[in-house]
Structures are given as structure tokens and as C-alpha cells.
Amino acid sequence: MADPEAGEGRAEAEAAAGRPGDAAAPLGAAAVAAGILAGEAVAGLALPARGARIIEAALALFAERGFDATTIPEIAAAAGVGSGTIYRYFETKEALGNAAWQAAKRALAAAIAPVFLAPAPSPDDLPPNLPDPLPAGLPAEARLALAYRARFLALWAAGCGFAREWPAAFRFLEFHHEPRFLDRTSLRLSEQVMAPILGFIAEGQARGVLAPLAPQAVAALVWGALTGLVREAAAMSRPIPPDLLAATGATMWRALVVPALAGLAPLPVSSPARPRAAGT
């Protein structure tokens, strides 16, 4: 006879995580970011406290030991529940891994979403703390590059912030890019989270700001540099200093921008870009 509590737990998990066949709305730029912040991809899953605790414990252990080396009894002990309780929410270890991966990816989505809420960069959308008035004759392409760089540095800072606030989720995603146990909903979620980033890169290339390299390769280079920086800070048991955060972000920008625009003066990363009227 079926365990009604087990069925109830699985139903709650499915409602929160999405079933494999569910279609997900496409994500793109500001509208996508607004949807993420509205709750379509918020950090964590809407599970009861016990289910959320299981996912939190699983994330920590998967990040520390890897998915394959972690057992259900170890997750149960860390969550303070019995092994049978886990199976009331997740039919298999793979289903739990899928839910944990979704939780980590949604936390990343929530961290970067604010960067894309503003309209696409333009020559009239300049970051704060620039000389006022701007140097006479500053060409439109230089103004546009300043706006793009401000958004890139904000994205760089958001990635570092995600690693700081969600260390287990960051490590889990770092070592489990698209693991074998992901369902279609998770794969679609991965595409959704990447869509604004790849769109930003492709748009910057089309407008002559970013070097012509495949957007996926650009994203991989940036993620690799970010994970290396975070690992170095973790090895030294200290947070990333703001000046190092700014310097590494500026260095990555110079590696990605077209050579003619690479020499623009460094900009701070602490404040998001804000509209600025033309000619002011």
C-alpha cells in the first residue's frame, strides 16, 4: 500500500521544483530579471521547512564531497531527519540532486537579476562618478563602452556576492555544471539564467564594444576567472577586498573589450549604472 505521507512529500517537492515536462517561459534581459525577482526563479524552493532543510544539507555535502561520494544517510544526519523522510520528498538521490541544483541555480539567478533590470547600455546611460562635465569631444563609442563596462563590473561584483552569500551553492555549481541527473526543467532553467548574460555579450559585440569571440566562450572565461578568484580568497580564509574586486573586474574587462576601447579609465563597481541626460 502506498505511503500517503510519501506521496504528499513528493507532491510538495514537484509543485515547488517543477515537473520534467513543464514548459518554462523564455528569459531575456530586463523582463527576465523582473520575473526572477518576482519569484519565478527565487533562491531556494517553496518546500516545507523539513524539505528545505534537506536541500540545504544536501547542497552543503554535495559541495564539500561531490554528488557521487555523498550518501542519503549522511544527508539525513546533517538535516536532522531519518533517511526515510528524505524519500518522502525525493524518490531518489538523483531527484534530490536535481532539486539541490535548481536551488543553487535559482540563487545565482536572483543574485544577477538586478544587473539586467535597467535598459540596455547606451551612450546616454553613463555610470556615476565620471568627470562632470565629460571631456569635450568624447566619442559616442567611448561613451557606450563606459556604459557597457559599468554593467559588466556590476555583473562581476554580483557573481562575487553570490559566492560570498551562497558558498555551498557556488561550489556545487562550480563542480557540477550540468550533471547527469538534471531533468528538462533544470536544463531549461540553466538556459534561462544564461540568456541575459549571453544576450549582453552578443549585443556588446554587435555594437562594436566587445571582442568577437563566441558568447559562450566569453562567459566561460569570465566564470573561470571568477571561480579562481573565489577559490584563492577561500584558501586565504578572507573575503575578497573591494580594491581587488575592482581591479580583477577591470582586468577582465580589458581582456574582453575591443583593443581601441581598452584604455578607458577604470570605474568603481560599488554603484549601479544610472541614466544620465545627453550633454550633461
Side-chain angles (χ1 to χ4, degrees):
M1 181 175 180
D3 181 355
E5 188 175 359
E8 180 182 354
R10 284 195 294 272
E12 291 168 337
E14 289 174 349
R19 296 169 180 78
D22 287 350
L27 293 185
V32 170
I36 290 172
L37 292 182
E40 293 177 11
V42 296
L45 299 177
L47 288 169
R50 183 177 294 176
R53 197 163 69 245
I54 291 169
I55 288 183
E56 182 179 0
L59 260 178
L61 289 172
F62 292 157
E64 178 185 353
R65 305 177 185 180
F67 176 82
D68 292 329
T70 301
T71 67
I72 288 293
E74 289 171 337
I75 296 170
V81 301
S83 295
T85 300
I86 291 182
Y87 291 112
R88 293 172 185 163
Y89 293 94
F90 309 99
E91 289 185 341
T92 64
K93 178 184 168 184
E94 286 72 21
L96 174 55
N98 181 66
W101 190 92
Q102 281 195 25
K105 205 70 170 182
R106 291 171 191 273
L108 173 61
I112 67 173
V115 177
F116 296 102
L117 284 174
S122 76
D124 297 326
D125 180 24
L126 295 180
N129 303 325
L130 292 179
D132 194 4
L134 290 171
L138 186 66
E141 58 267 25
R143 296 167 64 95
L144 181 62
L146 289 172
Y148 265 94
R149 183 168 60 183
R151 180 163 293 194
F152 172 80
L153 294 179
L155 183 60
W156 181 260
C160 290
F162 166 66
R164 181 181 62 251
E165 298 297 327
W166 298 85
F170 179 88
R171 290 194 301 272
F172 184 45
L173 293 178
E174 179 185 359
F175 295 110
H176 301 79
H177 173 54
E178 286 192 354
R180 65 184 184 278
F181 50 74
L182 296 188
D183 62 19
R184 284 178 290 175
T185 298
S186 294
L187 294 174
R188 182 57 176 157
L189 175 62
S190 181
E191 294 174 357
Q192 290 176 326
V193 173
M194 286 301 299
I197 299 172
L198 297 178
F200 168 73
I201 295 169
E203 183 184 68
Q205 293 172 334
R207 300 179 75 176
V209 175
L210 298 178
L213 184 65
Q216 291 86 351
V218 173
L221 287 172
V222 173
W223 178 255
L226 179 64
T227 56
L229 177 63
V230 171
R231 282 198 303 269
E232 179 67 18
M236 300 178 68
S237 301
R238 67 174 188 176
I240 301 171
D243 58 342
L244 181 60
L245 178 66
T248 51
T251 299
M252 280 304 305
W253 171 258
R254 288 193 295 272
L256 302 177
V257 72
V258 295
L261 300 173
L264 295 174
L267 298 176
V269 299
S270 56
S271 301
R274 64 188 180 207
R276 180 172 179 167
T280 61

